[in-house]
């Protein structure tokens, strides 16, 4: 029985409305993930159109071109025999959602809309999107005809569901859902979802990496499992700067990570995980097991595909690593972005940083 799986989390320097450029970076990340042996690939939030499209999210063209990019991905031989999810906006029954779209071999498996939108700091998501509020429910999404030509599907499931492969179960939370006190990974983990992926558009603030990494680790510390955090990098079109730090955590420890600052447009990190490590970690937490026994189930999309094969005896799993954090001074030095963009400071940090005279190139936005 196969039990080791290799998964990939990608950091991309996407640009708002650069559909062709975004497509080519997504394809490159899929190609690199495949070359590194991954059979599952996830990427950042709204990676197809770019996170910071702002009021272009009110334009139907932004949705149309996102579908066109997805159509190209579905047709591409690069995507063959790999479970992939991408971030894009989707309109369903005249409501706009910020979604992950999971697909495999020219079939769309699930559209998973974001359930908890981000409104703090510089985020204004509810200006363009609504959160999906129907917990553990799916509806039929009527595909645009140009997609039906490729997939032979007229409807696909949209909603709060998870994907069951032959060997494991994959679920999603989108960016803010990790930061919310009622994170979706809690219910997902209790329902036996073993791999949770988070496509994020998390912009840089001084010392935010400490918070993000802690959240990613704790997402799997109390209830076990694997967690893939995938973030954007670069300026994207707005004044905020995204700083990567994509990573993979297993049972409370980081086992793979990407850089915080870099000039490469595409960075892929992979991790090999023994699914039995998740199962034994979880069953040993007795209180978690008792709670899980009464957890209301998520709808499962069954897929005839496995992330592992029977020949994995010599595949080595990824060991835990120590995260080497940059000091705030190093973050200012390395992260000072292109002209016109600013480093954002959490209000709590701003006063201390000003007092320490460190704010030569950073200001509060
Ligand atoms: N895009 C989001 O949902 C952002 C979530 C989160 N508050 C962050 O700063 O990373």
């Amino acid at each position: 029985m196969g039990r080791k799986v290799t998964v990939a989390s990608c950091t991309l320097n996407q640009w708002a409305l650069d559909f062709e450029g975004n497509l080519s970076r997504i394809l490159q990340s899929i190609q690199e993930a495949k070359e590194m042996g991954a059979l599952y690939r996830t990427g950042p939030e709204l990676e197809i159109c770019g996170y910071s499209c702002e009021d272009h999210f009110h334009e139907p063209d932004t949705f149309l071109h996102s579908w066109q990019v997805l159509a190209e991905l579905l047709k591409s031989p690069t995507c063959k025999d790999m479970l992939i999810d991408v971030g894009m906006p989707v309109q369903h029954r005249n409501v706009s959602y910020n979604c992950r779209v999971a697909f495999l071999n020219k079939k769309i498996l699930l559209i998973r809309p974001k359930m908890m939108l981000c409104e703090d700091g510089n985020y204004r998501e509810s200006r363009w999107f609504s959160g999906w509020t129907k917990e553990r429910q799916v509806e039929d999404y009527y595909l645009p005809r140009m997609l039906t030509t490729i997939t032979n599907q007229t409807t696909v499931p949209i909603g709060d569901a998870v994907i069951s492969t032959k060997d494991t179960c994959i679920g999603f939370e989108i960016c803010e859902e990790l930061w919310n006190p009622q994170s979706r990974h809690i219910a997902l983990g209790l329902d036996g979802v073993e791999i949770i992926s988070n496509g994020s558009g998390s912009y840089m603030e001084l010392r935010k990496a400490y918070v993000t990494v802690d959240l990613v680790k704790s997402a799997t510390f109390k209830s076990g499992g694997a967690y893939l955090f995938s973030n954007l990098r670069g300026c994207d079109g707005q004044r905020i700067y995204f700083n990567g730090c994509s990573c993979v955590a297993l049972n409370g420890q980081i086992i793979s990570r990407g850089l915080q600052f870099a000039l490469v447009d595409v960075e892929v990190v992979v991790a090999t995980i023994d699914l039995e490590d998740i199962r034994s970690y979880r069953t040993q937490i007795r209180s978690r097991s008792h709670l899980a026994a009464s957890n209301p189930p998520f709808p499962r999309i069954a897929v005839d595909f496995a992330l592992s094969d029977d020949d994995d005896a010599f595949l080595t799993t990824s060991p835990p690593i120590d995260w080497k954090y940059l000091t705030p001074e190093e973050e200012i030095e390395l992260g000072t972005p292109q002209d016109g963009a600013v480093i954002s400071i959490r209000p709590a940090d701003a006063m201390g940083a000003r007092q320490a005279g460190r704010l030569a190139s950073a200001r509060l936005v």
Side-chain angles (χ1 to χ4, degrees):
M1 186 180 69
R3 46 185 249 188
K4 289 182 199 150
V5 301
T6 302
V7 293
S9 171
C10 308
T11 309
L12 303 179
N13 182 10
Q14 302 300 66
W15 288 91
L17 302 179
D18 177 16
F19 292 96
E20 283 174 14
N22 293 346
L23 168 63
S24 78
R25 284 178 288 271
I26 293 170
L27 276 173
Q28 188 185 330
S29 72
I30 294 168
Q31 179 66 37
E32 287 183 21
K34 201 175 247 184
E35 283 163 11
M36 291 193 253
L39 286 185
Y40 170 57
R41 174 268 181 208
T42 191
E45 187 170 11
L46 294 168
E47 60 194 301
I48 285 190
C49 55
Y51 181 81
S52 307
C53 295
E54 304 208 334
D55 280 5
H56 293 289
F57 284 122
H58 290 316
E59 296 169 8
D61 267 8
T62 305
F63 294 78
L64 170 67
H65 297 323
S66 297
W67 282 114
Q68 287 168 330
V69 169
L70 184 74
E72 291 306 314
L73 289 170
L74 285 162
K75 285 189 286 189
S76 168
T78 309
C79 300
K80 196 168 171 286
D81 294 331
M82 192 170 195
L83 181 55
I84 296 167
D85 65 77
V86 286
M88 62 178 266
V90 173
Q91 261 177 25
H92 172 62
R93 301 184 185 173
N94 309 138
V95 179
S96 301
Y97 296 101
N98 167 349
C99 300
R100 299 303 304 171
V101 179
F103 62 95
L104 168 72
N105 287 337
K106 291 193 178 169
K107 297 277 181 218
I108 295 173
L109 305 174
L110 172 67
I111 302 176
R112 169 32 168 96
K114 188 169 185 173
M115 299 178 73
M116 295 155 180
L117 302 182
C118 193
E119 310 288 3
D120 44 47
N122 294 301
Y123 292 104
R124 304 281 180 274
E125 291 187 346
S126 68
R127 180 175 169 91
W128 309 292
F129 299 108
S130 301
W132 181 268
T133 52
K134 299 163 197 169
E135 284 190 15
R136 296 176 172 84
Q137 287 177 50
V138 286
E139 293 174 356
D140 283 337
Y141 178 81
Y142 286 81
L143 275 185
R145 277 166 291 176
M146 64 172 169
L147 270 292
T148 302
T149 325
I150 301 161
T151 66
N152 267 325
Q153 300 163 296
T154 43
T155 61
V156 295
I158 181 169
D160 185 21
V162 298
I163 293 176
S164 271
T165 60
K166 286 197 278 190
D167 48 354
T168 187
C169 187
I170 300 167
F172 307 93
E173 64 180 8
I174 304 178
C175 203
E176 181 68 9
E177 295 172 31
L178 169 67
W179 299 68
N180 185 279
Q182 273 191 348
S183 285
R184 295 305 288 161
H185 66 253
I186 301 169
L188 290 167
L190 288 172
D191 198 33
V193 175
E194 294 179 330
I195 299 172
I196 297 170
S197 65
N198 180 321
S200 277
S202 186
Y203 62 73
M204 188 221 160
E205 292 175 308
L206 282 184
R207 292 194 276 186
K208 189 176 175 183
Y210 285 92
V211 184
T212 312
V213 174
D214 268 3
L215 285 171
V216 169
K217 289 200 308 199
S218 69
T220 59
F221 178 74
K222 279 203 275 188
S223 56
Y227 197 92
L228 277 65
F229 174 78
S230 171
N231 195 17
L232 293 160
R233 178 180 288 129
C235 276
D236 183 328
Q238 223 214 83
R239 296 197 315 149
I240 51 175
Y241 174 76
F242 300 98
N243 70 336
C245 287
S246 299
C247 57
V248 181
L250 177 72
N251 298 336
Q253 290 176 302
I254 301 290
I255 57 170
S256 182
R257 66 159 286 188
L259 297 165
Q260 185 172 0
F261 303 105
L263 293 175
V264 282
D265 284 342
V266 176
E267 186 191 16
V268 180
V269 296
V270 294
T272 300
I273 293 156
D274 187 338
L275 295 170
E276 288 298 320
D277 285 343
I278 297 174
R279 292 161 194 162
S280 63
Y281 185 93
R282 281 184 170 170
T283 51
Q284 280 170 54
I285 307 171
R286 302 309 303 147
S287 63
R288 179 246 161 227
S289 294
H290 301 324
L291 187 61
S294 61
N295 187 60
F298 282 81
R300 277 168 156 72
I301 313 291
V303 191
D304 189 18
F305 184 71
L307 299 186
S308 57
D309 64 33
D310 292 339
D311 216 11
D312 61 8
F314 299 106
L315 202 58
T316 39
T317 52
S318 309
I321 55 170
D322 266 342
W323 193 287
K324 299 261 182 300
Y325 294 96
L326 297 172
T327 62
E329 289 84 352
E330 286 168 329
E331 288 189 324
I332 290 173
E333 187 191 348
L334 294 167
T336 306
Q338 291 100 317
D339 286 351
V342 290
I343 297 176
S344 171
I345 318 280
R346 286 181 300 158
D349 282 345
M351 207 192 315
R354 275 205 197 92
Q355 279 161 1
R358 292 199 206 105
L359 279 182
S361 59
R363 60 195 158 98
L364 190 66
V365 289

